Amino acid sequence: MKLVALVFSMMSFFTSCKCNKTAVQEEAKVVNTESNLGEQVSNLPVVVYQETTRGMFREITVREGKIFVITARGAKPVFWELKKEDYKKLLDLYQKIDLKSLSSLKDPTQKRFYDGAPIATLSFTNEKDTYTSSEFDGGFPPKEIEAFVNELIVVAEKLNK
């Protein structure tokens, strides 16, 4: 009788181990599929556009399909889901930007030196690196990033209404 119980318990033990192994493998496949989907959806890195003067502050951040807007120092961000067409347009404009030359872009005006315009910067952060532009006048970005910056502001203001 002890032998039958021993054989039965060993069979159930090995069967349950195989079942757990199969369940773990299937769960890993599901997680892997979800992570691949996330990579395809989030091709746009974290984008931060910031304008600041002595009396004004604005920061627009795009991260994980959402746009965050902060309009005062120390304020909590307000955020919205980006519409697919806005996301696609920003992604298309982003792909035209040479990230390696971002820090050496020439600013078209210098109004920020006498408080004629806010000081602005644009940065892109992916998994490995952060690329930050040189400072430029808010409202007058370098021509290489002008379309992206203007579209980012338009999207943020459109959603803020």
Side-chain angles (χ1 to χ4, degrees):
M1 188 68 176
K2 288 182 184 180
L3 183 61
V4 172
L6 179 65
V7 170
F8 180 72
S9 63
M10 293 295 275
M11 285 178 46
S12 64
F13 174 74
F14 288 119
T15 306
S16 67
C17 286
K18 184 179 177 186
C19 181
N20 285 341
K21 185 177 178 182
T22 305
V24 168
Q25 288 173 342
E26 287 178 16
E27 184 177 310
K29 287 179 186 176
V30 169
V31 169
N32 194 18
T33 303
E34 288 174 355
S35 67
N36 288 344
L37 180 62
E39 288 172 8
Q40 291 172 358
V41 171
S42 62
N43 290 332
L44 192 62
V46 175
V47 179
V48 178
Y49 173 73
Q50 189 175 56
E51 291 180 333
T52 186
T53 63
R54 285 186 264 185
M56 181 270 240
F57 178 83
R58 175 169 62 172
E59 183 177 280
I60 302 169
T61 304
V62 175
R63 180 177 54 238
E64 298 172 359
K66 294 180 181 155
I67 186 163
F68 300 81
V69 179
I70 302 173
T71 55
R73 287 181 180 86
K76 291 184 179 182
V78 179
F79 69 94
W80 303 268
E81 291 287 330
L82 268 174
K83 295 179 181 174
K84 286 184 182 181
E85 58 270 9
D86 292 334
Y87 182 86
K88 184 173 178 356
K89 190 162 189 179
L90 287 173
L91 181 61
D92 290 342
L93 293 170
Y94 161 73
Q95 291 172 341
K96 296 176 184 175
I97 297 173
D98 179 18
L99 295 178
K100 301 219 186 282
S101 68
L102 192 63
S103 63
S104 61
L105 295 179
K106 224 25 201 145
D107 53 342
T109 61
Q110 286 84 33
K111 295 180 179 185
R112 65 189 178 281
F113 295 131
Y114 58 86
D115 289 338
I119 300 168
T121 58
L122 177 68
S123 67
F124 299 97
T125 304
N126 58 26
E127 308 83 39
K128 299 175 186 172
D129 298 309
T130 298
Y131 301 93
T132 304
S133 71
S134 55
E135 292 181 345
F136 57 91
D137 293 345
F140 304 95
K143 65 180 177 175
E144 295 86 352
I145 60 173
E146 182 176 21
F148 184 88
V149 170
N150 290 340
E151 183 63 25
L152 184 63
I153 292 170
V154 166
V155 169
E157 290 176 351
K158 177 173 60 172
L159 294 173
N160 199 15
K161 290 182 181 180

